[in-house]
């Protein structure tokens, strides 16, 4: 399906600061970039670098005072939805080197602490059937409660509190998966039909030789996700990192399904103001 | 039943240190002191103070080098085992002042973090029925695993790890109880039939106007418990606190059921060495 | 000096809930109650119970919807300010039983974790001189930053973050003190000259046979403090506990120095509305 | 200098388990591999994968019961010791993509929590001078105390406890460095002159366009380090990961300086037993 993604960020920076953005969706095999553009008011030129695992990219810039970033992109997303239960575990010694770190616990996915729980609760299950059971358990034991967590809430916190938002579901899902010795990474994404609209966080689980998207929150259809970035946990996929302080002003994310023959209109919305810098569209290598 | 309790502690103190012992069982309405004696090798006189909530007592002493404490006591225990499910919640405004702090979270019983879990998992239950369901849940979801926890393991840690020893069961039980707005305190005890023998930790829950013993671990019959001390969590009921460093050498706890007419033999085992101090037997006020 | 204290709380309770208030200042030897009154809109009668350590009192009530509490009190405060550096440590075995629990770590004052730091940083100091050095260290190493902490911020968090508000200063002070084997408890208070006005938190340290007020934040003169409650840490001295949910609406605290012959006017401000309950003035036993 | 490194691990695995080893030193520009060999008793063939950042490699194997691994290597190490104080910060937008994740907090290096401390304590310093001051601060404020930490001890824990071993020093160093917005990663290494001999952990800091070794513990000369692996914190550089349980039996690490013309003798020590598998020597790409 063809999806139009739009993100508008507005922050106040009390002093000149380096800013690292990760809001541009990633061209990959499953999501073809038709057109996109990033417009920000920066103090100088932008620099882009590939994202983790070569997925998508990050953009460095320097800003001061009012900071505005607007991203527009059109993607053709053709993602086959996996029948998880049929997928087998990949023998660990066949894992690519770049996947191995996703076996480890991370700050917000303390998988080592869940080993006993996972063994008890999901005894007898393995591979995709295990992953499906974990996602189902999470969906039915955790309440989606806006405001119930914050930027340092971990999988342990959420498992105890039984409340969270999408990133919390994703942290618990990744922690459970790694506790079973299966690689899992966090994925930030634009999500069609997500209500209310915002950046979404889901999980990639490595099964049968490649990454498979799993959304334990069940809040948006997997086939309507447009990946932005991947990483070990929320730390890595943060959509904006400011080296200094910043105050939130406003933020708006929108994902719209387009008729297949709609002509993208991104260019037309790009402002020309001299002090705003439009990042060039560029395709990062697909995973 | 008549119970003989014996505890032998042996530690090495590299330098002179204040030591606070809480190993003497407490005379209370339910457990009548027949005779007891504490023998320690201390540097000077012992000082005793009542325990928290006036239950039992603590003994201050000063020691250096090899430290040995031997306690012997005989108690007639007549404890009616509560039918938890029939007990009602005490309205909070009727709680005695001394009971109110047992409503609060404490370091190892972070009850505030379990409020949502308790509401979800035990919905519709209240009073003693709720407490019984909690104890049952804990018994069936946590594995008794020696060595799985340490001195700073909290209820949150145990809830996640699904493993623990008696104090961990007690911490989770107290945390759940307080999360439901019902007072709970930790109790250290000698426990008949506990295997392997050691100091035991259980929970007092305030229902229907008084404290009721609950042992979520199910490791020893409640009627064979001999209380030592009470407090908010393991911090308060520690059987020995050394203000300085100490190395464990050996420790032995024994609880034996006596024929009712057996004559206690405590005095006979008391060493007479001049540098050892026998604490006088004294009855702390019953709860 | 004669101080007039006033506190106005306004909250919204979405459903009927038990509420426990601890906002009434405590009559003690050092602060003589001249008159006071608590007015709240409750669903039924109020119940009062003594506070921890017999200091002050707590008030139970039941409320629903808009909840308002207004407290007015006039106290004659005559507090000798201690010359800390001259005070000696009380031998531990002379501590009253009720003071012993204030030697222990608590949830927000994890004194056991600071033992090495305290030994290194304050080597050679003891008694009041040690306490004074600790207060001075805290004052110069932690920045008073409103908004830098929250309700579960502990002494460890503050020690690392080097930022906090009055309760954070008090937690670090109590943690350091207990790490040195000296009892410390938290004190909530009305504080003359505190800017901005709010409930204040300071510390009682047990030196030379009694509690001594220490305010590591240095935000208000000790002689102008009017104690409300005491406890192990912020958990115990919370000015309001709601068993259910509550939303903050507004809160206002004021402390004014009166001319010594000013006649208190508390009675005149007490509303007469039938559904509001005025708590009777009553003197809790002084410490 | 020419260094001979030897590591012997002995564990007991109660059941067949996947094991991931990272004990082979890494050929890099600064340390030339002369010869090496890994001998393990495994259930089948070994599989090797490159280590994180392409440094060194990991070896997968499967083992059961007694597990023994012996590694021998000879390296010519020519490392210029950096004059830290003269090195400049690399502008963040010039950081290679692979270096960016080392700006982020990780589980054991919670750099976000130290931002205020670092700003206060090291005000006015930057670049290499800042890094040198941090290393010096850590060396003088933390005591090297064997047994004072465990596998989940974090930089926050060590900063509070003021005690640790090499990995704890490295965690604090990396946390401070990242808190200042400078990339840092953990490095496992064989260390000449380390007493007692063991695997060592130090830090790479990115200054002036490349990684620079920093050892805040000061326990071994930087020029005698032989790198094994790198990663975000101790999680990534673990020398052995068992997917299942394992009991420690014995472990021995030795680093010896050879005369430059000494002929390596690794081959001669390689056992030929049929059930032991020697990993082929292979050069991982240098960093």
């Amino acid at each position: 399906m063809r999806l139009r993604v739009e993100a508008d960020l507005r922050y106040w920076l009390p002093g000149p600061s380096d800013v690292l953005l990760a809001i541009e969706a990633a061209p990959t095999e499953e999501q073809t970039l038709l057109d996109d553009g990033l417009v920000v008011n920066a103090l100088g030129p932008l620099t882009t670098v590939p994202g983790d695992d070569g997925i998508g990219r990050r953009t460095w810039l320097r800003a001061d005072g009012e900071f505005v970033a607007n991203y527009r992109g059109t993607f053709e997303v053709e993602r086959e939805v996996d029948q998880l239960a049929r997928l087998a575990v990949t023998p660990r010694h066949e894992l690519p080197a770049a996947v191995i770190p996703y076996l480890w616990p991370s700050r917000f996915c303390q998988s080592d602490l869940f080993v006993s729980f996972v063994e008890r609760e999901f005894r007898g299950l393995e591979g995709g059937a295990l992953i499906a059971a974990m996602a189902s358990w999470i969906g039915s034991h955790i309440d989606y409660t806006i405001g119930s967590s914050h930027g340092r809430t971990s999988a342990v916190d959420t498992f105890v509190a039984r409340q969270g938002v999408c990133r919390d579901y994703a942290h618990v899902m990744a922690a459970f998966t790694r506790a079973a010795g299966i690689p899992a990474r966090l994925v930030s994404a634009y999500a069609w039909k997500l209500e209310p609209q915002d950046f979404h966080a889901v999980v990639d689980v490595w099964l049968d030789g490649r990454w498979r998207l799993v959304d334990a929150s069940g809040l948006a259809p997997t086939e309507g996700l447009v990946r932005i970035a991947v990483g070990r946990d929320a730390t890595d996929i943060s959509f904006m990192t400011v080296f200094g302080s910043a105050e939130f002003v406003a933020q708006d994310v929108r994902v719209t399904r387009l008729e297949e023959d709609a002509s993208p209109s991104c260019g037309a919305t790009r402002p020309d103001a001299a002090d705003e810098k439009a990042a060039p569209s560029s395709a990062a290598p697909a995973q």
Side-chain angles (χ1 to χ4, degrees), chain A:
Chain A
M1 75 182 76
R2 187 161 298 180
L3 294 173
R4 175 73 172 168
V5 301
E6 303 174 298
D8 299 311
L9 312 184
R10 190 176 294 268
Y11 285 79
W12 174 260
L13 278 57
S17 305
D18 285 346
V19 175
L20 185 60
L21 282 182
I23 63 174
E24 297 165 81
T28 73
E29 278 184 24
E30 298 180 332
Q31 51 192 47
T32 307
L33 170 66
L34 300 182
D35 71 287
D36 75 350
L38 173 68
V39 179
V40 300
N41 60 331
L43 296 179
L46 309 188
T47 313
T48 61
V49 287
D52 290 354
D53 297 354
I55 304 281
R57 64 179 183 183
R58 291 170 162 137
T59 298
W60 284 109
L61 55 96
R62 197 157 175 81
D64 189 11
E66 184 176 60
F67 171 67
V68 179
N70 304 106
Y71 174 69
R72 301 286 180 271
T74 311
F75 286 79
E76 187 66 41
V77 180
E78 295 177 81
R79 177 172 296 116
E80 214 173 309
V81 175
D82 295 310
Q83 298 301 315
L84 281 180
R86 301 184 182 175
L87 298 173
V89 165
T90 301
R92 274 187 280 261
H93 66 268
E94 295 179 7
L95 295 174
V99 169
I100 290 176
Y102 295 113
L103 286 167
W104 310 147
S106 64
R107 188 183 192 189
F108 299 127
C109 305
Q110 309 104 316
S111 47
D112 50 333
L113 304 180
F114 289 104
V115 169
S116 291
F117 171 77
V118 162
E119 281 178 2
R120 284 184 66 109
E121 188 73 29
F122 305 106
R123 201 181 300 279
L125 294 173
E126 56 182 27
L130 170 63
I131 300 301
M134 287 172 170
S136 170
W137 188 97
I138 292 168
S140 62
H141 284 78
I142 296 180
D143 290 324
Y144 190 88
T145 311
I146 288 175
S148 62
S149 62
H150 52 79
R152 292 193 186 115
T153 300
S154 73
V156 161
D157 298 328
T158 303
F159 180 78
V160 172
R162 300 292 161 109
Q163 295 185 331
V165 297
C166 65
R167 55 161 262 159
D168 304 310
Y169 282 77
H171 282 155
V172 176
M173 185 70 214
F176 282 8
T177 303
R178 296 178 195 167
I182 297 174
R185 66 182 182 188
L186 268 275
V187 179
S188 60
Y190 292 97
W192 176 55
K193 287 196 172 174
L194 181 67
E195 286 296 334
Q197 269 295 346
D198 202 346
F199 291 109
H200 197 33
V202 296
V203 171
D204 260 344
V205 174
W206 188 275
L207 284 173
D208 245 355
R210 65 175 182 81
W211 292 114
R212 315 282 178 163
L213 277 173
V214 179
D215 180 357
S217 77
L219 290 173
T222 308
E223 57 267 37
L225 294 176
V226 189
R227 285 165 181 276
I228 301 170
V230 299
R232 297 198 188 177
D233 59 28
T235 307
D236 292 342
I237 61 170
S238 166
F239 63 83
M240 186 173 83
T241 306
V242 178
F243 290 79
S245 58
E247 290 162 30
F248 174 85
V249 179
Q251 184 174 307
D252 190 28
V253 171
R254 292 177 304 281
V255 179
T256 321
R257 185 170 186 173
L258 302 181
E259 295 303 314
E260 305 298 300
D261 56 356
S263 52
S265 57
C266 169
T269 66
R270 191 176 297 173
D272 286 335
D275 62 346
E276 292 187 335
K277 312 298 167 184
S281 291
S282 83
Q287 160 237 328

